[in-house]
Amino acid sequence: ARAQAMEVDESPDVTYDEIGGLEDQMQEVREAVEQPLENPEQFEQVGIEPPSGVLLHGPPGTGKTMLAKAVANQTDATFIKMAGSELVQKFIGEGAKLVRDLFELASQREPAIVFIDEIDAVASKRTDSKTSGDAEVQRTMMQLLSEMDGFEDRGDIRIMAATNRFDMLDRAILRPGRFDRLIEVPEPDEEARHKILDIHTRNMGVADDVDFDKLAAETEGKSGADIESLTTEAGMFAIRDERTEVRQSDFEDALEKMDENDEETGIVTK
Ligand code: ATP
């Protein structure tokens, strides 16, 4: 049913080497998600349970979805994504049913990585739990937690979630046996921005005058997603000028355009 609310990717093509920076985060994801899928006996021998759920938190566009897709790629797992906002439904019981469908699908396609983006949509601290809408959201969250509880019997399914509103999360979902591994995915620093610029210009014609050190410094406050748009925009400037190589001036023009857009929309690029 309702499979259209889910994004199913049998073999996501994102690899770890396409992720700039985030070395520690990659290491943690591999330990918490990849190891239990590939060497479950290691956990048995040591006598510990692998983390039940991994929560990635940090600003938008910093690579959280990429990390989840890369681990699915590495483990040959099906990637099943659902947005938390999709789980907030009008009719009673519909959100909970979607959660059941999600895990049902995962068990048909294991090994699988279930990735719930914007988990805050169903797991926020309640300001007023008396309204019926909130009660319904609460029920959906309870269904999610109960599916996670039934996990050990489920075999090769790992669950990941992401949020950029960590502060708003209901702490109940972070208890042991739930999302018990937290990984912070920060805005990229200068070194990470340099790597992200390198990654997104790998397949571009780049002129000799392009100064990636300077661009890394100038993109302070920009996310990985912003840097990706920047390289595309710089390429557009080159095309407009009928060139096949992107120059430093194209990047500078693209940066200027981006900042102007941010001013107009009042949205600060983060
Ligand atoms: P959101 O919270 O908005 O869902 P996210 O953290 O999940 O964002 P992604 O969807 O992983 O962000 O990133 C969006 C795009 O931005 C990626 O497809 C990629 O092109 C680029 N990007 C983001 N972070 C990085 C990174 N660390 N290295 C390389 N590219 C990145």
Side-chain angles (χ1 to χ4, degrees):
R2 295 301 296 256
Q4 69 272 24
M6 304 171 204
E7 176 195 321
V8 181
D9 193 342
E10 292 292 344
S11 51
D13 57 4
V14 178
T15 53
Y16 292 119
D17 71 351
E18 288 166 45
I19 303 177
L22 306 183
E23 285 82 7
D24 294 347
Q25 288 79 1
M26 269 187 258
Q27 177 67 26
E28 287 194 55
V29 166
R30 301 186 77 153
E31 283 171 10
V33 184
E34 199 177 306
Q35 285 301 321
L37 281 173
E38 292 190 335
N39 298 308
E41 64 287 349
Q42 223 174 28
F43 286 81
E44 276 162 37
Q45 281 161 0
V46 178
I48 56 167
E49 294 286 334
S52 291
V54 173
L55 178 72
L56 305 170
H57 64 98
T62 47
K64 297 183 289 298
T65 308
M66 285 187 101
L67 276 170
K69 283 190 173 174
V71 77
N73 171 308
Q74 181 70 27
T75 53
D76 290 319
T78 308
F79 179 77
I80 305 175
K81 176 175 147 176
M82 178 121 207
S85 54
E86 294 272 5
L87 291 172
V88 179
Q89 295 287 328
K90 260 191 262 155
F91 299 106
I92 292 188
E94 211 178 337
K97 176 161 191 321
L98 275 173
V99 171
R100 282 197 303 276
D101 290 349
L102 179 64
F103 281 82
E104 170 72 33
L105 181 68
S107 62
Q108 288 163 5
R109 305 286 178 92
E110 63 178 36
I113 307 279
V114 170
F115 180 70
I116 301 171
D117 202 5
E118 315 164 34
I119 184 95
D120 44 277
V122 281
S124 276
K125 278 178 213 158
R126 279 135 295 130
T127 40
D128 174 15
S129 55
K130 295 288 172 283
T131 64
S132 60
D134 278 355
E136 175 57 10
V137 168
Q138 180 76 355
R139 242 192 307 273
T140 304
M141 181 174 111
M142 295 312 290
Q143 184 65 38
L144 176 62
L145 296 180
S146 114
E147 294 285 347
M148 289 178 76
D149 286 342
F151 222 49
E152 282 147 64
D153 333 319
R154 286 183 178 277
D156 289 348
I157 303 171
R158 310 301 307 160
I159 175 154
M160 301 180 74
T163 182
N164 39 51
R165 298 157 146 197
F166 183 67
D167 294 345
M168 288 185 39
L169 284 189
D170 186 335
R171 290 295 178 260
I173 73 157
L174 307 181
R175 289 194 200 127
R178 298 175 172 179
F179 291 96
D180 47 11
R181 180 66 114 242
L182 305 182
I183 301 177
E184 185 182 359
V185 181
E187 186 176 86
D189 62 13
E190 190 166 329
E191 199 189 328
R193 294 195 301 273
H194 200 297
K195 288 180 186 155
I196 297 169
L197 280 162
D198 287 342
I199 289 166
H200 288 287
T201 53
R202 261 179 203 164
N203 299 318
M204 284 171 69
V206 175
D208 290 339
D209 78 327
V210 174
D211 185 344
F212 285 112
D213 292 335
K214 184 161 181 264
L215 291 172
E218 287 173 346
T219 45
E220 161 118 61
K222 303 258 186 295
S223 69
D226 296 332
I227 292 171
E228 183 192 15
S229 318
L230 181 75
T231 58
T232 304
E233 195 61 50
M236 295 300 293
F237 277 108
I239 288 173
R240 216 165 289 157
D241 211 21
E242 292 175 11
R243 279 180 282 110
T244 53
E245 281 192 337
V246 177
R247 297 177 184 160
Q248 180 68 14
S249 60
D250 298 321
F251 282 102
E252 301 293 350
D253 290 345
L255 258 175
E256 201 173 307
K257 185 173 168 187
M258 236 178 150
D259 290 339
E260 274 168 19
N261 282 347
D262 290 342
E263 267 165 41
E264 274 169 29
T265 55
I267 300 167
V268 179
T269 310
K270 265 247 155 116

